Amino acid sequence: MKTRLHLLAIPVMLALAACRPGTAEYTEAEAPNLLRVDSAATHLELAFAAGSYQLSPREAGRLHELARSGRISPEDRVTISTSGDPFLREHRVATISSELLRFGIVAAASPVAGVPRDHAVIAVGRYMISLPACPNWSQASASDFTNAKSSNFGCATASNFGLMVSSPADLVSGRALGLTSGRQAVAAVQRYNSEAVNTPKQFDGAAASPGSIAGAALSASGGGK
């Protein structure tokens, strides 16, 4: 009798197993929660008078119109290449950079060969961020015994990061570090060496002594009780 019961239980167990959802086969490749950055590049030319690093009113007007119309924007990665000897190249780049700075556009020098004589080539790299499709519930909601991450894992983080980036070009490559002024750092060291460090001020406007600062810290932490 027991043998017959065991034989009857096998089909029932198989039927129940067939009704139970199987292990999810979801992979992150199906719907990745990643940002996509697309780019497009344009090149613009400006002309200088022979041997000059000053833009003519006509060329300066062209440059201003490009900035006002949005063909060059602060979010773009802008580089300038010029022709001429080192002196002319440096000052021509500075002239164009100063004109673009009026519109909040920061440009960098990028020496390249093949620039026509008495010309400058402005390379404009424009980047656009595409956010992931969030929320991402492409993975089945059935039990997953693979210990894998949810399909929605990291979706909000990626979207928020893409929305916070001021310049999408920074996601492609970092900006070159320029020279920094060490005046503030040197001043701090000088104040420290001369014992002229500025002490904090209390709320009533009186200068706080080191003893009162330490006492206030102990009181706030409960160490003075």
Side-chain angles (χ1 to χ4, degrees):
M1 184 65 181
K2 290 183 179 180
T3 303
R4 292 181 179 178
L5 291 176
H6 287 312
L7 293 176
L8 291 174
I10 292 175
V12 175
M13 294 175 63
L14 291 175
L16 292 175
C19 295
R20 188 183 183 282
T23 302
E25 297 295 336
Y26 171 82
T27 62
E28 292 184 3
E30 296 180 22
N33 300 329
L34 301 175
L35 297 174
R36 191 185 72 196
V37 182
D38 298 314
S39 63
T42 57
H43 294 81
L44 311 166
E45 285 193 17
L46 293 177
F48 289 89
S52 173
Y53 56 83
Q54 298 295 334
L55 288 172
S56 66
R58 177 177 178 274
E59 292 295 88
R62 281 186 57 212
L63 187 60
H64 295 172
E65 182 58 29
L66 291 171
R68 280 193 293 262
S69 64
R71 291 186 61 186
I72 308 177
S73 69
E75 293 78 19
D76 297 334
R77 186 68 59 87
V78 182
T79 58
I80 305 170
S81 306
T82 62
S83 61
D85 57 51
F87 176 85
L88 274 179
R89 289 199 302 267
E90 179 181 354
H91 284 75
R92 284 172 173 174
V93 169
T95 297
I96 297 174
S97 298
S98 63
E99 294 294 334
L100 291 176
L101 277 176
R102 298 182 180 183
F103 302 90
I105 301 170
V106 179
S110 177
V112 297
V115 178
R117 184 175 180 179
D118 295 321
H119 278 71
V121 176
I122 303 175
V124 181
R126 180 157 296 182
Y127 299 84
M128 183 182 70
I129 297 177
S130 297
L131 303 178
C134 291
N136 179 2
W137 301 115
S138 57
Q139 182 182 12
S141 59
S143 300
D144 182 6
F145 296 98
T146 62
N147 200 30
K149 294 181 293 186
S150 165
S151 60
N152 196 51
F153 182 83
C155 210
T157 301
S159 297
N160 290 338
F161 181 61
L163 294 172
M164 288 188 297
V165 173
S166 61
S167 177
D170 294 338
L171 297 181
V172 179
S173 62
R175 305 183 191 184
L177 294 177
L179 299 176
T180 57
S181 173
R183 181 179 301 176
Q184 292 181 344
V186 171
V189 173
Q190 290 176 343
R191 288 195 301 270
Y192 178 80
N193 290 334
S194 61
E195 298 183 356
V197 179
N198 297 325
T199 57
K201 301 293 183 179
Q202 293 180 341
F203 291 108
D204 59 2
S209 64
S212 64
I213 295 173
L218 287 174
S219 298
S221 62
K225 296 181 180 180

